[in-house]
Structure formats: structure tokens, C-alpha cells
Amino acid sequence: METLSLARNSRLTHLGSKKQVFESYMTSEEVSHGLKRGELIQVQTQRPLVNTCSLFLCLQDDTRDIFLDGIVARNRALNGDIVVVQVLPREQWKVDYTVMYIFSCINTTGSILTFVPQHSKTHQQPDVIMEDQCSDQDELIRKVQNTTLTDTVITPLTLSFVCQVVYIVEKKHSRAATGFLKFLPDKPFAMFSPVDHRVPRINVQLADCPEDFCSRPGDYTNTLFICRITYWAADSNFAEGQLAKTLGQAGEIEPETEGILIEYDVDFSEFSDEVLGCLPKNLPWTIPPEEMRQRRDLRKECIFTIDPATARDLDDALSCKQLPDGNFEVGVHIADVSYFVEEGNALDAIASQRATSVYMVQKVIPMLPRLLCEELCSLNPLTDRLTFSVIWKITPEGKILSEWFGRSVIRSSVKLSYDHAQSMIEAPEKMFSAAELPPVDPEHPIDEIHQAVLNLHSIAKNLRSQRFSGGALRLDQLKLSFTLDKETMMPQGCYVYQYRDSNKLVEEFMLLANIATAHHIHRRFPELALLRRHPPPKAKMVDELQELCDQLGIDIDLSSAGALNKSLNTTLGDDEYSPARKEVLTHMCSRPMQMALYFCSGVLKQEQFFKHYALNVPLYTHFTSPIRRYADIIVHRLLASSLNCGPHLGLSTQQVQKQASHCNDKKTLSKRVQELSSELFFGVFVKDCGPLDSEAMVMGVLDQSFDVLVLKYGVQKRIYCKSITGLASFHHHKVGKKSELTLVWIPEDPEKPPVEQVISIFTLVEVQLKADSAPMKYSAVLKRPEENEL
């Protein structure tokens, strides 16, 4: 450690007299040297930081962990960055802490570790597994960037080191933020304040500000800007940056939406001429005769799509034909996007970089040009389309007797919405008229389509029953949907989306196709298959949840995915609030869960790590949505190569793994953008239509606040005790893992004693959602309980 300390002190002497705020970064040579000597550790955040609090990682001896204490110790690194840290002297070690995040790290010998630190004020140890060794530094960096593994329980923690960031390996954060510009008299710069408080304030030169900003700063009080950090000196609390764009007025949907997209590095630019040049030139496009001859012709079969009513990118279609022996021929037919997206060209490059379509409330940012998404690849009705098909011979009970994969041509008979399919399921004897459905191919009568839907529904119910009896888990959480004004695209109403039998029908056959495809490509390409795994939940968090449930009197079995699924569906009673209690418990059970991840089968040597925990299957992949997911395009290419109807995949194992990691990153960002879009629209709805009253159920209790699930709208909000009007005092009480708050209300009648209200998990309360003064923000206000409710 002496060598690195001397190097650090040497750099400090050259900084001049200005006060040093952050440690200067080491050189790449010092970092390489320190990593090889075991004096430094490399770490990467795995999901967004909640605030600017501390973070932890584990050491190789499994007896201590490392504490990165606050903004100075993070040394100008932002969320998602891959960094190198150094342990500080022993006198700065800490014992008492609270841990907030999940990280992956490489320990000092180059072993790849993944762990989850726990919320704790005691000596508790994150869960860790050692999976692989690497001696070469380049190999080390590659593995930490591309691999996240699973966990096993290890020994209790005795002490925690304090460390600091000394080098940023890769700036994963976009360095862009939305926020507001503030004029500072007598300063040559303005102050940019990001909306996201995890990003530092940024000094922006006045020359970079709007022309009349200095003379009329008040005109820009409510203007939303995008600013990019260009530099952050070691002797400044503030970064330096440049305004990238003036978005518009805060509180308006389009400027706010654009800000979200830029912050989360979503490419929403128009496709370049080079990319568009990769598309078919002669329109309207028709399938070349030579391509038809190489495919199975399914155009005369009764095939149809089932999608949301507003969907335009139709990836998948279904078919179901009863055979003379009483069994069924069931087909899943997926848009053959890989036919149009040639590996290695400009179109492929932009698709691989975007990696996913991003779905927002009012629009979609497509992965591919709309000519492909909505026309040439989309399985639109009454049109010949190229597909990849999986066709099974299957019994009415759901037993698969045979399986066929191949490239095909289909002609969809009708575009059904989930509502159409649900109506058919709910009215099996009804004769539907043409007026009740979209246009239908005259070759296939409506009653033939209706019967096919009913047969698929019957088989799907059996498949679903077998999946869950076989140990699968589904953690459904409430999803908010909106009705929009067709002209303004502003929210007119909102509702909790209902997941019905028609959704379950499609899901079962998509799962069946994905599982079948995973086995097929892994058999053929054991070192190259792009698969999707779901690690089991973190053992420590599961143990803590089990302890809490035991204290709450909830009979829940967390020993396996199947046991948990059974518990969630049997232990919460059958009164009118049972669904709400199930939602709260589902949320609690979701916290220990890890994210599912794409990976290349050649990177993980032990197949036990391939397993998908929630589905309880050994192999899984994504095959069914190539219009909106790049991972599926790679899977299609592997499938085509395995069937000798396409070229060999031009990627190595490491290249597939790198793309898999990129897809993981983009999927995580896309999910967050979708959530922020929904929050944005609901904030507008509350402002325009509020205040909104609803029952709510308590989901979690802290020492000065509690979280509620607002039952009418499915949103979650935190209520701070100090902000509750009419409260005389409050008290926090915790026994084991069970936490309670006692709220003491000032009596409305001065001659009566104060009213006490106990807040614990599953407590039912009344709340009112009200718009805040900040644009697009709203709060949940706790309403005074009626005396008969206590």
C-alpha cells in the first residue's frame, strides 16, 4: 500500500493552493499495478442508486466488507459507472452502517463476486459466491463488465473497511440531466440544478446560456433544460457542463418525456440514410419466389394474432388445428426479422445498439425503422408474411408428442385484440357476427377462429396448471394504464390493467416456444447459445422476510419458487381486501428477487447457473419478440443456423456475452423509462382531475414514515409523519422485524382525549392524492381516521 500512497501524495503536491475536495485519480498504470498486487478493487453498480448514501462490496476472505462513505469517497463517479476503489487506513474502518444497493465486484485475486448487502445496523454479511478466476487484467475488466453470477450464504461480518474511488474504468452514466438554470449575480457562470439529486450541481458558462438569460433570468424559472457534464475537477464540489438543449416548460408532457429519454440514454433520433438504405427498395414489397420455395407454406392455415388493441408491431401469431386422432397441431409463428436485418450491416448495428424498443404511455421508441416494425415484419392480417414457426403435436392435456422448427410463410386471418379473444372465451356457444370483429379472411369462417381460440384456451389452462404444480412462480404487480385524448394525447382517465384468460393464453404458448427454442439452440451450440437465466432470490433477504412474515402471523413458505407461489394463493383469506393483502405481500416478496439476465452459455461453465428461478426450468431464452428485442434476433440467427437455413452466427462466445450484457443494460433502462413515463402521466392526471380519494394499504413501516399501496390506482407512495396535518405526535416501535408507528391525532373535540392510530403492514387507511407545487409531482395525504375505524 506504501507505493500507492506515495504516488497519491506526489500528485497532491502539484495541485496548487486551491483546496482539494476529491482525491486525484490514479493513472491507468498505477491502477493496473494496484489490481495485480491486490491493493485495489474494481466494482460496478447493478441498479440505480436511490440517493447519495453509502455503498458496500465484499473482500476475498469473506469476513469483512468495504464501506464507501458519501459523495467524497465516491469521487465524482455516478450511477452505473465501473470504478476502482482503494481501502483507507485501518483507523477509518467502520462498524455501524446501513446498506442500500446491489453491486458486483472483483476481489483482489480477480475472483468475480456478486452480493446483496442488507438494510442493517449490525454486523451482517452480504451473500457471495466465487465463480471464476482470472489473472490477466484485460480479462479481469472484461469479466466484471459482462458477468453477474449468483450467491451462496457465507459467514457473519465482523468489521467493515472504509474505501474511496481512485479511478473510473468506464463512465456508464450518460452524464446528462434535466433541470433548471439559476442566475448567480457577479459570477461568470450560471448554476444548473438537476432534478435528479444524485447528479451534482453543474456550473454553466454564461456564454452557453440563452442570449437574454442574464437580462431576464426570471423568464427561465420554469424552463427545463438538458445539461451534460463535461468536466468535474478534483478541487470543486460542482461539475462543469454545457447546455445540450432547451426542452420547454416544466410540467408539460413532451419536454418532460424528452428529458427522460436523454437522461436514460435512449436513442430516439431518426434512422440515418445508411440504415434506411438497408431496407427493401421496391415497395410495396412482395416475398421473392425463391424465398417462398425454401419455406413451409402455411398461408392456407387458420392463423391469427392476439395483441393489445393499439399494437402495431405484431411479433407473434397462433394456430390450432384439431387432428383426426383427437390431438391438436398447435403453432407459434414469429416474425422473421432476421431475414430483413442482415448481420453486420448498418441496420444491424443500430438495432444491436438500441437493443430494445422503449414503450412509453403515449408512444414507442422503436428498435427498428417503422417500415419493418409496423409493415414488412409485422404479422398484419390478410398479408403474406415471413415467419419462424414452432409447431407441436400436442394432446388436449398439454403433453407434447412431436415438435418442428422451421422458416415459414403465413397469412394471418384476423387481428384479434385481447378483448376480442376474451369475449370468445367467455361466450363459447355464441355465434359472433362480422360486425363484432375486425376484418376476417373469408377462407376461414368466424366460428373456425372462435373454436381455435377455445381449443388454445383449453390447452393453455392445462399447460399453466402443469407449470405451477411443477414449481413455477408468478409475482403479479398492479399495472396502471391510461386512456388518452386522441388529439392532445393527454390523460383522460386511468385504470388498473386486468390480466385475463386471453393474456394467459398467449403467455403460455410464448413460454412454451421460448423454452423449446432454448433447448434446441443449446443442444446445437452449447458454447454460443444466448439464453436467459433468473438467479434465485438473495438468501439473507429471504430469511429476513420469513422472520417478518412469521411475526406478522403469515403462513408463507419461501423455500422454493413453487412453494412461494402456492403460499401467495392460499394464505391471505377470501374477504374483499384479500387481493390488496396479496398485492402487498407480493411486493414484499419481490424485494429479494434478482433480475433475469441474458447470457452466453459458453461463459458460465456450470449449468446449474442457467436455471430460470421463477419459471422453474433449466433453460430459457427469448425467441418470440424480435421486432422489439435484439436478443431475439440473435436467437433467430442461431436457430436458422442450426436448421441449415441460415448462415453461421458471426460472433464469438465473448461477443455474444458482450451483446447479452448490453441487452441487459438497455432492458433495465427501458423499464425505468417506462415507469417514469407512467409516473409522469399519473402526475398530470392528479393535477387535472384531483384531489383523488382512495383506500390504501400499508406496505412498509419506517421510523418516521410509511409506504402505502393506493388500491384504486395501484400506485405506491410514502407518507411522512411530520407532514401529516392534525397529528399531535407519533411513536415508532419495533420488535424483531415487525415495525409499527402509533399516530396520535389532535382530537376534533378539545374535551375528548387524543385519538391513536396504529400503522403496521396491512393496515387499511384512507388517503387523498394531491398535486404538489413542483411540476408533475403529487403526494398522498393521510386522512384522519373515523373513530369507528380504530
Side-chain angles (χ1 to χ4, degrees), residues 41 57-66 97 105-109 111-116 123-131 133 150-161:
I41 304 166
L57 55 102
C58 279
L59 283 185
Q60 59 177 344
D61 60 7
D62 293 346
T63 60
R64 291 169 173 83
D65 77 358
I66 288 179
Y97 58 82
C105 73
I106 297 182
N107 74 6
T108 52
T109 61
S111 299
I112 295 177
L113 309 175
T114 296
F115 60 92
V116 133
H123 316 299
Q124 293 184 357
Q125 172 65 40
D127 302 333
V128 181
I129 190 167
M130 187 175 294
E131 171 63 19
Q133 298 286 330
T150 52
D151 62 293
T152 56
V153 180
I154 57 176
T155 55
L157 178 70
T158 58
L159 202 63
S160 59
F161 296 124

Short mmCIF file of all heavy atoms in Angstrom, two decimals, residues 41 57-66 97 105-109 111-116 123-131 133 150-161:
data_model
loop_
_atom_site.label_atom_id
_atom_site.label_comp_id
_atom_site.label_asym_id
_atom_site.label_seq_id
_atom_site.Cartn_x
_atom_site.Cartn_y
_atom_site.Cartn_z
N ILE A 41 -9.53 -2.65 -5.79
CA ILE A 41 -10.68 -3.50 -6.08
C ILE A 41 -11.55 -2.79 -7.11
O ILE A 41 -11.74 -1.56 -7.04
CB ILE A 41 -11.52 -3.76 -4.81
CG1 ILE A 41 -10.64 -4.38 -3.71
CG2 ILE A 41 -12.70 -4.68 -5.09
CD1 ILE A 41 -11.29 -4.37 -2.35
N LEU A 57 -19.08 -3.41 -0.73
CA LEU A 57 -18.66 -4.55 -1.51
C LEU A 57 -17.89 -5.50 -0.59
O LEU A 57 -17.52 -5.15 0.51
CB LEU A 57 -17.78 -4.12 -2.69
CG LEU A 57 -16.55 -3.27 -2.36
CD1 LEU A 57 -15.33 -4.16 -2.40
CD2 LEU A 57 -16.45 -2.12 -3.31
N CYS A 58 -17.62 -6.73 -1.07
CA CYS A 58 -17.05 -7.76 -0.22
C CYS A 58 -15.59 -8.05 -0.52
O CYS A 58 -15.17 -7.98 -1.66
CB CYS A 58 -17.82 -9.07 -0.37
SG CYS A 58 -19.30 -9.09 0.58
N LEU A 59 -14.85 -8.44 0.51
CA LEU A 59 -13.46 -8.84 0.35
C LEU A 59 -13.33 -10.35 0.19
O LEU A 59 -14.24 -11.11 0.50
CB LEU A 59 -12.65 -8.41 1.58
CG LEU A 59 -12.28 -6.92 1.62
CD1 LEU A 59 -11.38 -6.66 2.81
CD2 LEU A 59 -11.61 -6.48 0.34
N GLN A 60 -12.15 -10.78 -0.24
CA GLN A 60 -11.92 -12.17 -0.59
C GLN A 60 -12.01 -13.10 0.61
O GLN A 60 -12.32 -14.27 0.46
CB GLN A 60 -10.55 -12.34 -1.23
CG GLN A 60 -9.41 -11.89 -0.32
CD GLN A 60 -8.07 -12.13 -0.96
OE1 GLN A 60 -7.96 -12.88 -1.91
NE2 GLN A 60 -7.04 -11.48 -0.43
N ASP A 61 -11.71 -12.60 1.84
CA ASP A 61 -11.70 -13.52 2.97
C ASP A 61 -13.08 -13.77 3.56
O ASP A 61 -13.24 -14.53 4.50
CB ASP A 61 -10.76 -13.01 4.07
CG ASP A 61 -11.16 -11.64 4.61
OD1 ASP A 61 -12.24 -11.14 4.22
OD2 ASP A 61 -10.40 -11.08 5.42
N ASP A 62 -14.10 -13.13 2.98
CA ASP A 62 -15.49 -13.34 3.38
C ASP A 62 -15.75 -12.99 4.85
O ASP A 62 -16.70 -13.47 5.44
CB ASP A 62 -15.91 -14.81 3.13
CG ASP A 62 -15.95 -15.13 1.65
OD1 ASP A 62 -15.92 -14.19 0.84
OD2 ASP A 62 -15.99 -16.33 1.30
N THR A 63 -14.89 -12.18 5.45
CA THR A 63 -15.09 -11.82 6.85
C THR A 63 -15.36 -10.33 7.04
O THR A 63 -15.74 -9.90 8.12
CB THR A 63 -13.86 -12.20 7.70
OG1 THR A 63 -12.73 -11.49 7.19
CG2 THR A 63 -13.62 -13.69 7.65
N ARG A 64 -15.13 -9.54 6.02
CA ARG A 64 -15.33 -8.09 6.13
C ARG A 64 -15.96 -7.56 4.84
O ARG A 64 -15.88 -8.21 3.81
CB ARG A 64 -13.98 -7.39 6.37
CG ARG A 64 -13.39 -7.69 7.74
CD ARG A 64 -11.94 -7.19 7.81
NE ARG A 64 -11.41 -7.32 9.14
CZ ARG A 64 -10.89 -8.45 9.61
NH1 ARG A 64 -10.82 -9.52 8.86
NH2 ARG A 64 -10.43 -8.50 10.85
N ASP A 65 -16.56 -6.40 4.95
CA ASP A 65 -16.95 -5.74 3.71
C ASP A 65 -16.47 -4.30 3.73
O ASP A 65 -15.95 -3.82 4.73
CB ASP A 65 -18.45 -5.86 3.43
CG ASP A 65 -19.32 -4.96 4.24
OD1 ASP A 65 -18.83 -4.19 5.10
OD2 ASP A 65 -20.52 -5.00 4.03
N ILE A 66 -16.58 -3.65 2.58
CA ILE A 66 -15.98 -2.33 2.40
C ILE A 66 -17.06 -1.26 2.32
O ILE A 66 -18.05 -1.43 1.63
CB ILE A 66 -15.11 -2.33 1.13
CG1 ILE A 66 -13.84 -3.14 1.39
CG2 ILE A 66 -14.74 -0.91 0.73
CD1 ILE A 66 -12.93 -3.21 0.20
N TYR A 97 -23.50 0.69 10.12
CA TYR A 97 -23.86 1.15 8.78
C TYR A 97 -25.26 0.72 8.38
O TYR A 97 -25.89 -0.09 9.01
CB TYR A 97 -22.88 0.62 7.73
CG TYR A 97 -22.76 -0.87 7.67
CD1 TYR A 97 -23.69 -1.63 6.97
CD2 TYR A 97 -21.74 -1.53 8.34
CE1 TYR A 97 -23.60 -3.00 6.93
CE2 TYR A 97 -21.65 -2.91 8.29
CZ TYR A 97 -22.57 -3.64 7.58
OH TYR A 97 -22.47 -5.00 7.54
N CYS A 105 -18.62 -7.11 -7.86
CA CYS A 105 -17.25 -6.66 -7.69
C CYS A 105 -16.28 -7.75 -8.05
O CYS A 105 -16.62 -8.92 -8.11
CB CYS A 105 -17.01 -6.19 -6.27
SG CYS A 105 -16.90 -7.52 -5.08
N ILE A 106 -15.04 -7.31 -8.30
CA ILE A 106 -13.94 -8.25 -8.46
C ILE A 106 -13.06 -8.10 -7.24
O ILE A 106 -12.63 -7.00 -6.92
CB ILE A 106 -13.13 -7.94 -9.72
CG1 ILE A 106 -14.02 -8.11 -10.93
CG2 ILE A 106 -11.92 -8.82 -9.82
CD1 ILE A 106 -13.30 -7.87 -12.21
N ASN A 107 -12.77 -9.19 -6.54
CA ASN A 107 -11.93 -9.05 -5.37
C ASN A 107 -10.47 -9.00 -5.76
O ASN A 107 -10.10 -9.03 -6.92
CB ASN A 107 -12.23 -10.15 -4.35
CG ASN A 107 -11.69 -11.49 -4.76
OD1 ASN A 107 -10.98 -11.61 -5.75
ND2 ASN A 107 -12.01 -12.50 -4.00
N THR A 108 -9.61 -8.91 -4.75
CA THR A 108 -8.21 -8.63 -5.01
C THR A 108 -7.46 -9.76 -5.69
O THR A 108 -6.36 -9.55 -6.17
CB THR A 108 -7.51 -8.29 -3.69
OG1 THR A 108 -7.79 -9.32 -2.74
CG2 THR A 108 -8.01 -6.96 -3.16
N THR A 109 -8.03 -10.96 -5.76
CA THR A 109 -7.36 -12.02 -6.50
C THR A 109 -7.97 -12.18 -7.88
O THR A 109 -7.58 -13.05 -8.65
CB THR A 109 -7.49 -13.37 -5.77
OG1 THR A 109 -8.88 -13.70 -5.66
CG2 THR A 109 -6.86 -13.32 -4.40
N SER A 111 -11.31 -12.80 -8.41
CA SER A 111 -12.50 -13.64 -8.41
C SER A 111 -13.72 -12.77 -8.59
O SER A 111 -13.85 -11.74 -7.95
CB SER A 111 -12.61 -14.40 -7.08
OG SER A 111 -11.49 -15.21 -6.91
N ILE A 112 -14.63 -13.18 -9.46
CA ILE A 112 -15.84 -12.40 -9.71
C ILE A 112 -16.85 -12.71 -8.62
O ILE A 112 -17.14 -13.87 -8.35
CB ILE A 112 -16.43 -12.73 -11.08
CG1 ILE A 112 -15.43 -12.29 -12.15
CG2 ILE A 112 -17.74 -12.00 -11.27
CD1 ILE A 112 -15.87 -12.63 -13.53
N LEU A 113 -17.38 -11.65 -7.98
CA LEU A 113 -18.33 -11.83 -6.88
C LEU A 113 -19.60 -11.07 -7.18
O LEU A 113 -19.57 -10.03 -7.80
CB LEU A 113 -17.75 -11.28 -5.56
CG LEU A 113 -16.35 -11.76 -5.17
CD1 LEU A 113 -15.92 -11.02 -3.92
CD2 LEU A 113 -16.36 -13.25 -4.91
N THR A 114 -20.73 -11.59 -6.69
CA THR A 114 -21.97 -10.82 -6.71
C THR A 114 -22.58 -10.93 -5.34
O THR A 114 -22.59 -11.99 -4.75
CB THR A 114 -22.96 -11.39 -7.72
OG1 THR A 114 -22.39 -11.26 -9.00
CG2 THR A 114 -24.27 -10.63 -7.69
N PHE A 115 -23.11 -9.81 -4.82
CA PHE A 115 -23.67 -9.88 -3.47
C PHE A 115 -24.77 -8.88 -3.32
O PHE A 115 -24.88 -7.92 -4.05
CB PHE A 115 -22.59 -9.63 -2.41
CG PHE A 115 -21.97 -8.29 -2.55
CD1 PHE A 115 -22.47 -7.22 -1.87
CD2 PHE A 115 -20.91 -8.11 -3.41
CE1 PHE A 115 -21.92 -5.98 -2.02
CE2 PHE A 115 -20.35 -6.86 -3.56
CZ PHE A 115 -20.86 -5.80 -2.86
N VAL A 116 -25.59 -9.10 -2.28
CA VAL A 116 -26.60 -8.14 -1.91
C VAL A 116 -26.38 -7.73 -0.47
O VAL A 116 -26.50 -8.56 0.41
CB VAL A 116 -27.99 -8.73 -2.08
CG1 VAL A 116 -28.88 -8.52 -0.93
CG2 VAL A 116 -28.64 -8.07 -3.24
N HIS A 123 -23.69 -6.17 12.47
CA HIS A 123 -22.62 -6.77 11.68
C HIS A 123 -23.18 -7.87 10.81
O HIS A 123 -23.04 -9.04 11.12
CB HIS A 123 -21.54 -7.33 12.62
CG HIS A 123 -21.20 -6.40 13.73
ND1 HIS A 123 -20.67 -5.14 13.51
CD2 HIS A 123 -21.31 -6.50 15.07
CE1 HIS A 123 -20.44 -4.54 14.67
NE2 HIS A 123 -20.84 -5.34 15.62
N GLN A 124 -23.81 -7.51 9.70
CA GLN A 124 -24.40 -8.52 8.82
C GLN A 124 -23.64 -8.58 7.52
O GLN A 124 -23.19 -7.58 6.99
CB GLN A 124 -25.87 -8.22 8.56
CG GLN A 124 -26.70 -8.39 9.82
CD GLN A 124 -28.16 -8.18 9.53
OE1 GLN A 124 -28.54 -7.85 8.42
NE2 GLN A 124 -28.98 -8.37 10.53
N GLN A 125 -23.49 -9.80 7.00
CA GLN A 125 -22.64 -10.02 5.84
C GLN A 125 -23.45 -10.23 4.57
O GLN A 125 -24.39 -11.03 4.56
CB GLN A 125 -21.81 -11.29 6.10
CG GLN A 125 -21.03 -11.76 4.91
CD GLN A 125 -19.97 -10.76 4.53
OE1 GLN A 125 -19.33 -10.16 5.36
NE2 GLN A 125 -19.79 -10.55 3.24
N PRO A 126 -23.12 -9.53 3.49
CA PRO A 126 -23.75 -9.81 2.21
C PRO A 126 -23.49 -11.24 1.76
O PRO A 126 -22.53 -11.87 2.19
CB PRO A 126 -23.08 -8.80 1.27
CG PRO A 126 -22.59 -7.72 2.17
CD PRO A 126 -22.22 -8.40 3.44
N ASP A 127 -24.37 -11.73 0.87
CA ASP A 127 -24.25 -13.08 0.34
C ASP A 127 -23.34 -13.08 -0.87
O ASP A 127 -23.46 -12.23 -1.73
CB ASP A 127 -25.63 -13.60 -0.10
CG ASP A 127 -26.61 -13.57 1.05
OD1 ASP A 127 -26.15 -13.66 2.18
OD2 ASP A 127 -27.82 -13.44 0.79
N VAL A 128 -22.46 -14.07 -0.97
CA VAL A 128 -21.45 -14.06 -2.03
C VAL A 128 -21.21 -15.44 -2.60
O VAL A 128 -21.36 -16.43 -1.91
CB VAL A 128 -20.10 -13.53 -1.47
CG1 VAL A 128 -19.05 -13.49 -2.56
CG2 VAL A 128 -20.28 -12.15 -0.89
N ILE A 129 -20.83 -15.50 -3.86
CA ILE A 129 -20.33 -16.74 -4.46
C ILE A 129 -19.06 -16.44 -5.23
O ILE A 129 -18.93 -15.39 -5.83
CB ILE A 129 -21.35 -17.41 -5.39
CG1 ILE A 129 -20.87 -18.79 -5.75
CG2 ILE A 129 -21.61 -16.61 -6.62
CD1 ILE A 129 -21.93 -19.63 -6.41
N MET A 130 -18.10 -17.36 -5.19
CA MET A 130 -16.90 -17.23 -6.00
C MET A 130 -17.07 -18.15 -7.20
O MET A 130 -17.27 -19.34 -7.05
CB MET A 130 -15.66 -17.63 -5.19
CG MET A 130 -14.35 -17.36 -5.93
SD MET A 130 -12.93 -17.69 -4.89
CE MET A 130 -13.12 -16.42 -3.66
N GLU A 131 -17.01 -17.59 -8.42
CA GLU A 131 -17.35 -18.38 -9.60
C GLU A 131 -16.17 -18.66 -10.50
O GLU A 131 -16.08 -19.70 -11.11
CB GLU A 131 -18.43 -17.62 -10.41
CG GLU A 131 -18.74 -18.20 -11.77
CD GLU A 131 -19.30 -19.58 -11.70
OE1 GLU A 131 -19.78 -19.98 -10.64
OE2 GLU A 131 -19.23 -20.29 -12.72
N GLN A 133 -11.82 -17.53 -11.78
CA GLN A 133 -10.55 -16.87 -11.52
C GLN A 133 -10.03 -16.25 -12.80
O GLN A 133 -10.24 -16.78 -13.89
CB GLN A 133 -9.53 -17.89 -11.00
CG GLN A 133 -9.92 -18.55 -9.69
CD GLN A 133 -9.77 -17.62 -8.51
OE1 GLN A 133 -8.92 -16.76 -8.54
NE2 GLN A 133 -10.58 -17.79 -7.50
N THR A 150 -24.40 -15.76 -9.25
CA THR A 150 -25.38 -15.96 -8.19
C THR A 150 -24.73 -15.98 -6.82
O THR A 150 -23.60 -15.58 -6.66
CB THR A 150 -26.14 -17.27 -8.43
OG1 THR A 150 -25.16 -18.30 -8.60
CG2 THR A 150 -26.98 -17.19 -9.68
N ASP A 151 -25.44 -16.45 -5.80
CA ASP A 151 -24.93 -16.28 -4.45
C ASP A 151 -25.09 -17.53 -3.59
O ASP A 151 -25.91 -18.37 -3.83
CB ASP A 151 -25.67 -15.15 -3.76
CG ASP A 151 -27.15 -15.47 -3.64
OD1 ASP A 151 -27.83 -15.52 -4.67
OD2 ASP A 151 -27.60 -15.68 -2.52
N THR A 152 -24.25 -17.61 -2.56
CA THR A 152 -24.43 -18.57 -1.50
C THR A 152 -24.18 -17.87 -0.19
O THR A 152 -23.52 -16.83 -0.15
CB THR A 152 -23.45 -19.76 -1.62
OG1 THR A 152 -22.12 -19.22 -1.64
CG2 THR A 152 -23.68 -20.55 -2.88
N VAL A 153 -24.67 -18.42 0.91
CA VAL A 153 -24.53 -17.75 2.20
C VAL A 153 -23.12 -17.95 2.74
O VAL A 153 -22.55 -19.03 2.62
CB VAL A 153 -25.55 -18.32 3.20
CG1 VAL A 153 -25.41 -17.63 4.55
CG2 VAL A 153 -26.95 -18.12 2.66
N ILE A 154 -22.56 -16.89 3.36
CA ILE A 154 -21.25 -17.02 3.99
C ILE A 154 -21.30 -16.51 5.42
O ILE A 154 -22.37 -16.22 5.94
CB ILE A 154 -20.16 -16.29 3.18
CG1 ILE A 154 -20.53 -14.82 3.02
CG2 ILE A 154 -19.97 -16.92 1.83
CD1 ILE A 154 -19.47 -14.03 2.31
N THR A 155 -20.16 -16.37 6.06
CA THR A 155 -20.10 -16.14 7.49
C THR A 155 -20.45 -14.70 7.87
O THR A 155 -20.35 -13.79 7.06
CB THR A 155 -18.67 -16.43 8.00
OG1 THR A 155 -17.76 -15.63 7.23
CG2 THR A 155 -18.35 -17.89 7.80
N PRO A 156 -20.84 -14.47 9.15
CA PRO A 156 -21.22 -13.13 9.59
C PRO A 156 -20.07 -12.14 9.49
O PRO A 156 -18.91 -12.48 9.67
CB PRO A 156 -21.64 -13.34 11.04
CG PRO A 156 -21.94 -14.79 11.14
CD PRO A 156 -21.04 -15.47 10.18
N LEU A 157 -20.42 -10.87 9.24
CA LEU A 157 -19.44 -9.80 9.13
C LEU A 157 -18.98 -9.37 10.52
O LEU A 157 -19.75 -9.32 11.46
CB LEU A 157 -20.09 -8.62 8.42
CG LEU A 157 -19.25 -7.37 8.24
CD1 LEU A 157 -18.16 -7.65 7.22
CD2 LEU A 157 -20.13 -6.24 7.78
N THR A 158 -17.69 -9.06 10.65
CA THR A 158 -17.19 -8.59 11.94
C THR A 158 -16.82 -7.11 11.91
O THR A 158 -16.89 -6.44 12.92
CB THR A 158 -15.94 -9.39 12.34
OG1 THR A 158 -14.96 -9.26 11.32
CG2 THR A 158 -16.28 -10.86 12.51
N LEU A 159 -16.41 -6.59 10.77
CA LEU A 159 -15.99 -5.20 10.68
C LEU A 159 -16.05 -4.75 9.24
O LEU A 159 -15.96 -5.57 8.33
CB LEU A 159 -14.56 -5.07 11.22
CG LEU A 159 -14.10 -3.69 11.70
CD1 LEU A 159 -14.94 -3.24 12.89
CD2 LEU A 159 -12.63 -3.75 12.10
N SER A 160 -16.19 -3.47 8.98
CA SER A 160 -16.21 -3.00 7.60
C SER A 160 -15.09 -2.01 7.35
O SER A 160 -14.81 -1.15 8.17
CB SER A 160 -17.56 -2.35 7.27
OG SER A 160 -17.82 -1.28 8.12
N PHE A 161 -14.42 -2.16 6.21
CA PHE A 161 -13.39 -1.22 5.79
C PHE A 161 -14.05 0.04 5.22
O PHE A 161 -15.17 -0.01 4.74
CB PHE A 161 -12.53 -1.82 4.69
CG PHE A 161 -11.72 -3.01 5.10
CD1 PHE A 161 -11.85 -4.20 4.40
CD2 PHE A 161 -10.85 -2.95 6.16
CE1 PHE A 161 -11.11 -5.30 4.75
CE2 PHE A 161 -10.09 -4.04 6.51
CZ PHE A 161 -10.22 -5.22 5.81
#
